[in-house]
Amino acid sequence: MAEEVVLLDFWPSPFGMRSRIALAEKGIKYEHKEEDLRNKSALLLQMNPVHKKIPVLIHNGKPVCESLIQVQYIDEIYELGGRVWKTKGEEQATAKKELIETLKLLEKELGDKPYFGGESLGYVDVAFIPFYSWFYALEKCGNFSIEAECPKLIAWAKRCMQKESVAKSLPDQQKVYDFILEMKKHFGNE
């Protein structure tokens, strides 16, 4: 399944620049369609019918509006974890190495504190803990141990999971792994 990525943009837009940078940093090939803001294209009006503004990122026919949301979307769709389960061989080894380096950087920021913000669960913890539910699947698909590489980070995650608000909100790790296996079948990455 070939991916189609289109960016509806206007060259001096700082908001479009955000999206262009994010796409370039991830090495994503995309079609850039320059918009005339005085004479908006039918595609722009169709993809962003409420605000009728650029930039609009179109991924396989589905629009993502608002540049900060686009940056987050690009990061999530093309993140390192996805490369661990979507690839094999040397590419997967590189993705695992980069993922561990990123997690070690986060672990360094955590230090010896119980939570990223100090003594209590805070913004950074809430933003990052959902990714813990994917760790088991990444480890199984990539045949490695995050805990062996980042024990303080896993201790932090287990501490977070002791909070009812976190435990009730995160899916079972086996369920995420089963989902990944289905995705691998769907995309022919077995």
Side-chain angles (χ1 to χ4, degrees), residues 19-49:
S19 300
R20 292 193 303 266
I21 291 168
L23 289 163
E25 282 296 311
K26 296 292 182 182
I28 301 166
K29 293 184 177 169
Y30 67 98
E31 180 181 355
H32 182 267
K33 291 191 175 184
E34 188 72 17
E35 284 290 326
D36 176 354
L37 298 182
R38 289 184 215 142
N39 186 19
K40 296 174 182 175
S41 72
L43 183 60
L44 174 60
L45 298 175
Q46 176 190 355
M47 292 291 129
N48 194 352

Side-chain angles (χ1 to χ4, degrees), residues 145-159:
S145 169
I146 294 173
E147 187 167 20
E149 298 286 341
C150 304
K152 287 183 179 181
L153 196 61
I154 297 302
W156 160 83
K158 289 178 180 177
R159 211 169 14 261

Side-chain angles (χ1 to χ4, degrees), residues 46-187:
Q46 176 190 355
M47 292 291 129
N48 194 352
V50 175
H51 298 290
K52 301 173 178 72
K53 293 183 179 180
I54 52 92
V56 177
L57 178 71
I58 305 169
H59 184 210
N60 292 333
K62 295 182 180 161
V64 179
C65 302
E66 303 298 330
S67 62
L68 289 175
I69 295 170
Q70 292 168 10
V71 171
Q72 180 181 2
Y73 178 83
I74 291 164
D75 192 52
E76 289 175 4
I77 294 297
Y78 298 98
E79 68 188 26
L80 293 172
R83 287 184 29 225
V84 170
W85 67 264
K86 290 179 182 175
T87 61
K88 295 179 182 175
E90 190 62 37
E91 191 176 353
Q92 185 184 58
T94 300
K96 286 191 302 190
K97 181 178 181 246
E98 290 174 4
L99 176 64
I100 291 298
E101 286 172 4
T102 300
L103 294 176
K104 283 185 177 189
L105 181 65
L106 287 166
E107 187 176 61
K108 183 179 174 187
E109 289 300 317
L110 176 63
D112 292 325
K113 301 180 300 252
Y115 300 99
F116 281 94
E119 295 300 316
S120 60
L121 189 77
Y123 180 80
V124 175
D125 305 293
V126 172
F128 183 52
I129 193 60
F131 293 97
Y132 175 64
S133 59
W134 286 71
F135 283 11
Y136 174 75
L138 295 173
E139 290 173 327
K140 293 287 281 181
C141 292
N143 193 27
F144 70 112
S145 169
I146 294 173
E147 187 167 20
E149 298 286 341
C150 304
K152 287 183 179 181
L153 196 61
I154 297 302
W156 160 83
K158 289 178 180 177
R159 211 169 14 261
C160 289
M161 289 299 291
Q162 291 173 356
K163 297 208 167 273
E164 185 178 349
S165 60
V166 175
K168 283 187 169 185
S169 299
L170 267 58
D172 177 72
Q173 290 186 332
Q174 182 65 48
K175 191 174 179 181
V176 172
Y177 177 57
D178 294 342
F179 169 75
I180 292 292
L181 293 180
E182 286 300 313
M183 293 295 289
K184 285 171 70 95
K185 284 180 192 173
H186 178 74
F187 290 112

